[in-house]
Amino acid sequence: MSIKVAAFGALNQDSYEMFADCLGHYAHEAGVDVDIVFAAPYPNAEAVSEPGRPLRGEALQDAGKKQELFEAVAADAMSIGAKEADICCMPCMSMIGFHEGVQTALARDIFRLDEALVKKYEAVDKIGMIHMRPAKKRVEEMFGAKAVTPDEIWAGKLLVAEEQAKQDKNSHAVEVVMAELVELWRDQGLTHVLLARADAPKAQKGPAGQVQGIIINSYFDILAAAVAAQCFNGPQKAF
C-alpha cells in the first residue's frame, strides 16, 4: 500500500523535514509506504513578505492580504500535485487559522492539524504550549483554559531570542529559552508540553526536547501520527 502525502504552507524547509522524519516513523509502524512531496516554504525561504505572498501576521490584519495568502498557499499546493495526492496537510501551527480559506481555494480536503492536536490532549487537564504569536488566538480557541502559555515576561524573552536567531541564522537562541520554560513548567507541576514554534522545528531534538520529567511533543509528531493513522484507514476524498 502506497500513499501520496502533499505538505505545504510551512514556514521553512526544516519544518518539512521534521514532519517527514516523524511521518516516516509512524508510517513504518502502520505498515504503509508514504511518498511525501513538499512545496517551497511560505511565504519564501527568507520568511519575508512579497507581493501576493503576505506574512501570516499581515494576513490576520487585512482581509485582502488574507485572500492573497489563501490563493498563494493553494497555488503552492497545486504546483506539487496536491489535487491528486491522497492526503494534503499543512505542518504549521500558524496556518491553523487559515485552514478553511486555503481549503476552499484548493477545492479539496486538507488534513486538520487542530483536530489532531485536540484529540491528542483530550484527556490532559493542563498543557504547556510554546507557540508563535500568530497562533495565540487559535491555541485559545482549541484548548481554552487547559492551555498554559508564556506570560508577558517569557513572551518577551522569546521575542528577544527570535531576533537573536535571525542574526545567527539558526534557532539555537529560541531553543534555549524554550528549554528554560519547559523546565519551569515541569517544576510547577505540568506533565505535558507542546513545542509549537515553527522557527525552531527541531526543538524536540534539542535542549527543550531533552528536559527530563515531563512529556514533550511537537506538533510535527502529533500531525504525523494522525496522518499515518489516516493512511492506514484510507486516503481522504476530494470535495
Side-chain angles (χ1 to χ4, degrees):
M1 180 180 183
S2 181
I3 299 292
K4 180 179 178 180
V5 175
F8 43 89
L11 182 65
N12 49 51
Q13 187 62 31
D14 281 349
S15 291
Y16 289 130
E17 292 175 2
M18 187 65 186
F19 173 64
D21 286 347
C22 295
L23 181 58
H25 169 76
Y26 289 115
H28 177 74
E29 287 189 343
V32 177
D33 291 326
V34 174
D35 174 24
I36 181 167
V37 291
F38 308 120
Y42 181 86
N44 46 54
E46 291 74 32
V48 296
S49 181
E50 290 181 350
R53 300 179 70 81
L55 294 168
R56 294 154 177 76
E58 293 176 324
L60 288 173
Q61 304 300 321
D62 183 278
K65 289 187 181 296
K66 182 180 288 187
Q67 187 60 40
E68 289 179 359
L69 183 149
F70 295 156
E71 294 172 0
V73 175
D76 288 350
M78 286 186 278
S79 74
I80 59 169
K83 296 281 281 188
E84 293 74 44
D86 296 300
I87 294 180
C88 292
C89 63
M90 294 190 291
C92 178
M93 280 288 292
S94 298
M95 278 295 180
I96 288 175
F98 304 112
H99 184 105
E100 284 78 10
V102 175
Q103 183 168 265
T104 299
L106 184 59
R108 67 149 297 160
D109 291 333
I110 300 174
F111 196 93
R112 297 199 66 107
L113 171 58
D114 56 348
E115 292 180 0
L117 294 172
V118 170
K119 184 175 182 180
K120 173 70 176 180
Y121 292 112
E122 60 187 355
V124 179
D125 293 332
K126 291 286 184 181
I127 319 122
M129 295 199 172
I130 308 179
H131 57 77
M132 299 183 77
R133 290 186 300 279
K136 179 176 176 59
K137 182 178 179 181
R138 304 305 165 187
V139 166
E140 294 172 348
E141 291 173 350
M142 286 188 289
F143 296 102
K146 75 159 53 177
V148 178
T149 58
D151 62 18
E152 290 186 9
I153 293 175
W154 282 98
K157 290 182 178 181
L158 285 166
L159 184 59
V160 170
E162 286 178 30
E163 295 306 313
Q164 185 63 51
K166 290 176 183 176
Q167 294 179 29
D168 298 341
K169 299 188 183 304
N170 68 66
S171 61
H172 180 71
V174 174
E175 292 181 19
V176 169
V177 175
M178 291 172 72
E180 294 172 351
L181 185 52
V182 171
E183 290 176 349
L184 173 67
W185 282 342
R186 176 202 60 195
D187 295 345
Q188 292 177 342
L190 285 185
T191 58
H192 291 75
V193 166
L194 175 67
L195 305 180
R197 290 188 63 91
D199 59 350
K202 296 183 178 179
Q204 196 170 9
K205 296 181 178 181
Q210 303 307 311
V211 176
Q212 300 297 305
I214 190 166
I215 299 171
I216 300 167
N217 288 102
S218 72
Y219 66 89
F220 299 105
D221 68 77
I222 293 172
L223 177 61
V227 167
Q230 179 69 37
C231 290
F232 186 77
N233 293 328
Q236 289 176 299
K237 297 179 180 179
F239 283 154

